[in-house]
Amino acid sequence: MRSTRNEAVSITSDRSSLITLARGLHILEALADAPAEGMTHAALARHLGLQRSTLYRYLSALQELGFVELVEGSARYRLGHRAVHM
């Protein structure tokens, strides 16, 4: 049986969603293992091997949802209240 174009798009979309989920979880894991003062964006990007612009998009989404927060008075990120609650 041959795949239709819609099935191919669906498979690609599913794979893309899984990659997005995995990256988000890797960010949360890295912050969970980070010191209490958190990690800078640059250190986190190096640690994860992500481009800084890509990481900014992920951090913005996670921050908006409460899973990541900026440490007050610094440029460091740490787990947010929703991640800690989980």
Side-chain angles (χ1 to χ4, degrees), residues 29-40 68-80 84:
E29 285 179 330
L31 292 175
D33 293 338
E37 64 270 10
M39 291 180 79
T40 64
V68 169
E69 65 186 19
L70 273 170
V71 176
E72 194 171 324
S74 78
R76 294 177 175 272
Y77 291 90
R78 66 179 174 203
L79 291 181
V84 173

Side-chain angles (χ1 to χ4, degrees), residues 46-83:
R46 275 191 310 274
H47 177 76
L48 296 168
L50 292 174
Q51 291 185 7
R52 293 176 72 176
S53 59
T54 300
L55 182 58
Y56 270 123
R57 289 193 307 272
Y58 281 91
L59 288 171
S60 292
L62 290 168
Q63 190 175 5
E64 189 174 313
L65 295 169
F67 288 100
V68 169
E69 65 186 19
L70 273 170
V71 176
E72 194 171 324
S74 78
R76 294 177 175 272
Y77 291 90
R78 66 179 174 203
L79 291 181
H81 67 278
R82 288 191 71 190

Side-chain angles (χ1 to χ4, degrees), residues 1-27:
M1 208 165 125
R2 290 180 49 171
S3 294
T4 66
R5 175 143 171 74
N6 288 341
E7 289 172 339
V9 169
S10 178
I11 290 168
T12 302
S13 178
D14 289 347
R15 185 166 188 263
S16 179
S17 295
L18 290 175
I19 291 169
T20 299
L21 175 61
R23 284 183 179 168
L25 292 172
H26 283 123
I27 292 167

